[in-house]
Amino acid sequence: MIAMSLRALTLAALAALPLSSVSAQELKIGFVNSERVVRESNLAKAAQAKLEAEFGKREKELKDAAAKLQAAGEKFEKDQALLTEAEKGRRQRELIESDRDLQRKRREFQEDAQQRRNEELQVVVERANRVIKQIFEQEKFDLIVQDAIHASARIDITKRVIDALNAQK
C-alpha cells in the first residue's frame, strides 16, 4: 500500500514538471543517405569514370588472357587423344601455370582497384562531410544523422547535399 502511494506520488510529481526547454522548442533534424550521395553526386560519378579509365585497359587484358586460356584448354581437350604422354604432361603443366598466373594477376588487379576505389571514395566522403557541416551551421540544425535505418522524407536533406556538392568546382 505504501509502495503504491509512493509510486503514485512520484508519477504525479513527474507529470507536473514543466517540459524541458529543448523539447519545448522544435528540434531541427536532418537525415543524409550517404549511399545516394556516393552514387548520385557528380564528384562520385567523376571518380568512377576516372577509375574506369585507369583500370579499363588492365581489365580488358585480363579478359583477353582468360579467353586465350580457355581456348587453349579447349584445344588441349580436343587434341588430347592425339598427343603423346610427354606432350600431354607438358601442355597440362603449361595450362596450369598459365591459370595460376592469370589468377595471381586477377588478385593483384582486384586489390589495386579496391585500394584506388577506397581512395576516391574517401575524397567524396570528406567533401560530402564538409558540405553537411556547412548546411548544419548555415541552417542551424540541431542534429544531422547519416545512414539511419528509417527516416521521414520530411527530414531528408540528401538532395541538398548532392546539389551543394555538384555546385562546387
Side-chain angles (χ1 to χ4, degrees):
M1 184 80 147
I2 294 176
M4 289 262 288
S5 304
L6 188 56
R7 183 181 296 153
L9 184 61
T10 304
L11 288 175
L14 287 174
L17 288 175
L19 295 175
S20 71
S21 62
V22 173
S23 62
Q25 67 186 31
E26 184 95 14
L27 286 177
K28 189 167 182 181
I29 299 173
F31 160 72
V32 177
N33 182 332
S34 298
E35 180 187 335
R36 262 187 67 204
V37 171
V38 170
R39 189 179 62 235
E40 296 176 16
S41 70
N42 290 343
L43 184 62
K45 290 175 183 175
Q48 182 62 33
K50 183 177 176 182
L51 289 170
E52 287 172 6
E54 186 175 333
F55 288 98
K57 180 182 176 194
R58 214 166 130 191
E59 186 175 26
K60 185 183 180 322
E61 288 171 355
L62 284 172
K63 286 180 182 176
D64 291 347
K68 185 178 174 183
L69 180 61
Q70 183 177 357
E74 290 169 358
K75 181 171 178 14
F76 173 72
E77 289 297 321
K78 192 173 94 176
D79 296 347
Q80 191 171 2
L82 305 174
L83 300 174
T84 65
E85 286 303 313
E87 184 65 18
K88 276 186 202 177
R90 184 187 66 75
R91 286 186 50 187
Q92 277 181 324
R93 283 189 301 278
E94 286 175 357
L95 287 171
I96 290 170
E97 185 60 34
S98 293
D99 185 54
R100 253 190 237 133
D101 187 46
L102 178 62
Q103 296 305 320
R104 180 186 51 76
K105 287 179 181 178
R106 279 185 179 154
R107 276 192 308 277
E108 289 172 356
F109 171 79
Q110 289 170 344
E111 289 170 4
D112 292 347
Q114 186 62 43
Q115 181 179 354
R116 284 290 295 124
R117 230 179 265 115
N118 290 342
E119 291 169 1
E120 291 296 326
L121 180 62
Q122 187 61 37
V123 170
V124 174
V125 168
E126 287 173 2
R127 298 256 311 262
N129 285 340
R130 281 193 297 247
V131 165
I132 292 167
K133 185 175 187 215
Q134 202 172 35
I135 291 171
F136 176 85
E137 292 169 350
Q138 287 174 348
E139 298 184 26
K140 299 186 179 5
F141 276 87
D142 295 304
L143 175 69
I144 294 179
V145 179
Q146 286 181 290
D147 301 324
I149 293 172
H150 183 71
S152 167
R154 181 174 52 85
I155 65 168
D156 190 348
I157 63 167
T158 305
K159 175 106 173 80
R160 277 193 264 171
V161 172
I162 292 170
D163 290 345
L165 269 174
N166 291 347
Q168 291 181 345
K169 291 293 170 190

